[in-house]
């Protein structure tokens, strides 16, 4: 009996260990499945918020161009132009923008610093759509009962918020360009990849030069178009400066990043000139009354989609704006992106689309089927172009200056 009892105990312990191991593996497997499901819902939620933002843009456009026909009894007044019938409801756009801002700012407050997928705030971000739909309706209704003076104040604040949004968008674009350059032109890549990178840089530079030539031919063919000549010429100067600094022996960043950046600032210059008022003799805009042609409508739709895509791409790029970057990988139960930053960018995007719809001017007339047309819009885009070039040049020069400062400090330490 003693021998049998002694032989049974190790078997029972071994059996218990196997059961514990299998139960732990089942629990870890279930946890992994739950995390995967939650992460999938979180990633899908981004597109739902993008659709909400797109619908908000469409509603703002409808209120601007067809507000009197849709809901003529709304308690808000028009605030631009001497003749009320010619004003396309600037206040309506600002009120819709304010409602969108309220919704996404509340989402920012309630989801900020969410770290793990099992938190309640993750479920709030990825689910509870019925409750969020009620919150969205309330957020849109409230601004239409706010006095006009406060809406005007929001319009002034929206200019600042839209400027912040443009800065975040610029940083995100420049970081993407830097990543693309490092991917294709890295020393660890093979020769074929480097050849592709060199080919792409050549294509971007040729496109940039062609773009400048086309702008000269279309928008600066007369000597009287001095402002357009200045815009295009200064863009060409920035292109040359970026190329020279990128090829400097101490910088040595290659041509791909500077080529992409050159194409980007040429595009910004083109959009700025395209935003000049149609009353100007050098403007590409044609005086139109009533409904625009198909090209105008297609351009409007493309611009509308571009607003949503720019907001969405900046919102999901939270890694670029981390002050402390490390190479640690995300754990299985970590959230896939920063919810707070995502909603904050969308709240600033609400201010941004309002400024585009009213052309950055609270007291100007806005033509139907138009986005971002006027001298205010032109100068905003030109300053945006110059600021983008400045940020990129600073990213090229700063590491060299930092290295020089460190070397000088080491030399002075050795002398001491």
């Amino acid at each position: 009996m003693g021998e049998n009892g002694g032989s049974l105990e190790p078997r029972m312990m071994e059996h218990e260990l196997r059961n514990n191991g299998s139960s732990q593996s089942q629990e870890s497997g279930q946890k992994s499945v739950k995390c995967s499901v939650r992460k999938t819902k979180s990633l899908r939620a981004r597109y739902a918020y993008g659709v909400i933002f797109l619908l908000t843009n469409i509603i703002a456009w409808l209120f601007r161009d067809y507000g009197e026909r849709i809901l003529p009894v709304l308690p808000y007044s028009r605030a631009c132009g001497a003749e009320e019938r010619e004003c396309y409801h600037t206040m309506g756009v600002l009120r819709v923008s304010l409602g969108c801002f309220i919704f996404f700012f509340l989402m920012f407050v309630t989801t900020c610093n969410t770290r793990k997928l099992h938190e309640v705030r993750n479920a709030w971000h990825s689910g509870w759509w019925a409750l969020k739909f009620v919150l969205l309706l309330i957020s849109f209704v409230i601004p239409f009962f706010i006095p006009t003076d406060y809406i005007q104040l929001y319009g002034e604040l929206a200019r600042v918020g839209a400027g912040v949004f443009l800065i975040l968008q610029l940083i995100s674009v420049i970081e993407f360009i830097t990543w693309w350059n490092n991917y294709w032109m890295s020393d660890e890549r093979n020769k074929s990849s480097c050849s592709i990178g060199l080919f792409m840089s050549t294509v971007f530079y040729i496109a940039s030069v062609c773009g400048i030539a086309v702008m000269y031919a279309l928008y600066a063919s007369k000597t009287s178009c001095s402002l357009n000549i200045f815009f295009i010429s200064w863009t060409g100067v920035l292109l040359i400066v970026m190329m020279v600094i990128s090829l400097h022996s101490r910088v040595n960043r290659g041509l791909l990043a500077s080529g992409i950046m050159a194409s980007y600032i040429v595009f910004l210059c083109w959009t700025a000139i395209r935003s000049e008022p149609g009353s100007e003799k050098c403007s590409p805009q044609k005086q139109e009354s009533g409904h625009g042609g198909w090209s105008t409508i297609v351009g409007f739709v493309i611009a509308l989609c571009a607003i949503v895509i720019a907001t969405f791409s900046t919102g999901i790029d939270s890694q670029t704006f981390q002050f402390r970057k490390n190479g640690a990988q995300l754990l299985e139960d970590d959230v896939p992106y920063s919810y707070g930053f995502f909603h904050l960018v969308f709240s600033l995007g609400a201010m941004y689309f309002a400024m585009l719809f009213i052309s950055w001017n609270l007291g100007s007339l806005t033509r139907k089927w138009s986005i971002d047309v006027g001298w205010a819009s032109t100068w905003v885009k030109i300053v945006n172009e110059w600021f983008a070039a400045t940020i990129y040049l600073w990213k090229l020069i700063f590491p060299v200056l930092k290295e020089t400062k460190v070397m000088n400090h080491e030399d002075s330490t050795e002398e001491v």
Side-chain angles (χ1 to χ4, degrees):
M1 294 292 293
E3 293 179 358
N4 292 335
S7 62
L8 286 174
E9 289 181 359
R11 294 178 182 176
M12 293 176 63
M13 293 178 62
E14 183 179 356
H15 183 68
E16 290 178 358
L17 290 174
R18 288 179 179 176
N19 290 336
N20 291 335
S22 61
S23 61
Q24 289 178 358
S25 62
Q26 290 177 358
E27 290 178 359
S28 62
Q30 292 176 356
K31 182 180 178 181
S32 178
V33 171
K34 289 181 179 180
C35 290
S36 178
V37 171
R38 290 169 179 168
K39 187 171 294 187
T40 302
K41 289 181 63 177
S42 173
L43 294 173
R44 289 177 179 174
R46 300 179 303 177
Y47 301 101
Y49 291 115
V51 171
I52 292 174
F53 191 76
L54 174 61
L55 293 177
T56 304
N57 279 257
I58 295 175
I59 293 171
W61 160 66
L62 290 174
F63 270 101
R64 189 196 69 176
D65 288 358
Y66 304 99
E68 291 182 352
R69 300 179 185 178
I70 299 173
L71 294 172
V73 296
L74 283 176
Y76 69 86
S77 62
R78 294 169 284 271
C80 58
E83 298 182 10
E84 291 184 350
R85 292 183 179 180
E86 295 181 358
C87 179
Y88 294 136
H89 297 273
T90 300
M91 289 294 101
V93 173
L94 291 177
R95 291 176 193 273
V96 174
S97 168
L98 178 57
C100 184
F101 171 80
I102 291 173
F103 173 75
F104 281 107
F105 190 77
L106 289 176
M107 292 301 302
F108 160 72
V109 172
T110 53
T111 59
C112 187
N113 292 326
T114 305
R115 303 295 184 190
K116 300 296 181 180
L117 292 171
H118 58 76
E119 295 183 26
V120 177
R121 289 180 295 177
N122 174 72
W124 165 243
H125 169 79
S126 306
W128 298 80
W129 292 106
L131 181 59
K132 280 189 285 194
F133 179 73
V134 175
L135 177 63
L136 183 64
L137 288 180
I138 295 174
S139 301
F140 276 114
V141 169
I142 289 177
F144 286 93
F145 295 93
I146 296 178
T148 304
D149 293 339
Y150 292 101
I151 300 299
Q152 288 276 9
L153 178 60
Y154 168 75
E156 298 293 342
L157 294 176
R159 288 176 174 172
V160 179
V164 174
F165 176 85
L166 284 175
I167 293 174
L168 295 178
Q169 183 184 359
L170 281 179
I171 296 174
S172 179
V173 169
I174 293 173
E175 285 295 323
F176 172 76
I177 292 173
T178 304
W179 170 84
W180 201 1
N181 178 77
N182 294 336
Y183 179 80
W184 286 107
M185 305 299 290
S186 175
D187 295 335
E188 299 176 357
R189 304 285 293 182
N190 53 33
K191 292 183 179 180
S192 61
S193 298
C194 292
S195 299
I196 295 174
L198 183 61
F199 172 76
M200 288 192 297
S201 62
T202 304
V203 170
F204 279 113
Y205 267 109
I206 292 176
S208 302
V209 174
C210 292
I212 291 177
V214 169
M215 285 192 293
Y216 269 121
L218 295 179
Y219 312 136
S221 58
K222 302 177 183 178
T223 55
S224 57
C225 303
S226 57
L227 188 59
N228 287 353
I229 293 174
F230 168 70
F231 288 159
I232 301 169
S233 301
W234 186 246
T235 301
V237 171
L238 291 176
L239 189 153
I240 295 173
V241 170
M242 288 189 300
M243 181 180 66
V244 171
I245 293 180
S246 298
L247 292 177
H248 193 275
S249 57
R250 298 192 61 182
V251 177
N252 195 22
R253 291 295 184 91
L255 289 175
L256 180 57
S258 60
I260 301 173
M261 196 64 200
S263 299
Y264 182 62
I265 65 170
V266 169
F267 169 76
L268 291 178
C269 180
W270 175 76
T271 57
I273 295 176
R274 291 285 301 174
S275 294
E276 291 178 0
S279 58
E280 298 298 321
K281 56 185 177 181
C282 299
S283 171
Q285 298 287 338
K286 295 180 179 179
Q287 287 281 21
E288 296 179 4
S289 59
H291 298 281
W294 280 108
S295 60
T296 304
I297 296 175
V298 171
F300 174 85
V301 173
I302 293 174
L304 194 66
C305 295
I307 296 172
V308 179
I309 292 172
T311 307
F312 183 86
S313 60
T314 306
I316 62 177
D317 188 22
S318 58
Q319 296 293 330
T320 298
F321 302 93
Q322 289 182 351
F323 292 101
R324 293 182 179 180
K325 297 184 180 181
N326 50 53
Q329 295 182 351
L330 291 175
L331 299 177
E332 188 180 33
D333 59 344
D334 287 341
V335 295
Y337 56 96
S338 175
Y339 300 158
F341 180 79
F342 178 83
H343 292 297
L344 178 62
V345 169
F346 269 73
S347 63
L348 295 175
M351 295 180 169
Y352 176 65
F353 82 69
M355 291 298 102
L356 296 188
F357 276 119
I358 66 175
S359 300
W360 297 83
N361 196 335
L362 301 180
S364 67
L365 299 176
T366 306
R367 184 164 43 88
K368 285 187 177 182
W369 295 100
S370 65
I371 290 183
D372 212 15
V373 175
W375 279 119
S377 300
T378 298
W379 281 106
V380 166
K381 291 178 179 179
I382 286 295
V383 173
N384 190 30
E385 175 201 341
W386 297 346
F387 193 68
T390 303
I391 293 177
Y392 179 73
L393 291 174
W394 175 250
K395 282 182 66 66
L396 293 178
I397 298 173
F398 178 72
V400 178
L401 297 177
K402 187 177 180 181
E403 181 182 356
T404 304
K405 184 177 180 180
V406 171
M407 292 177 63
N408 292 336
H409 179 70
E410 291 178 353
D411 292 341
S412 61
T413 303
E414 289 178 359
E415 291 177 359
V416 172

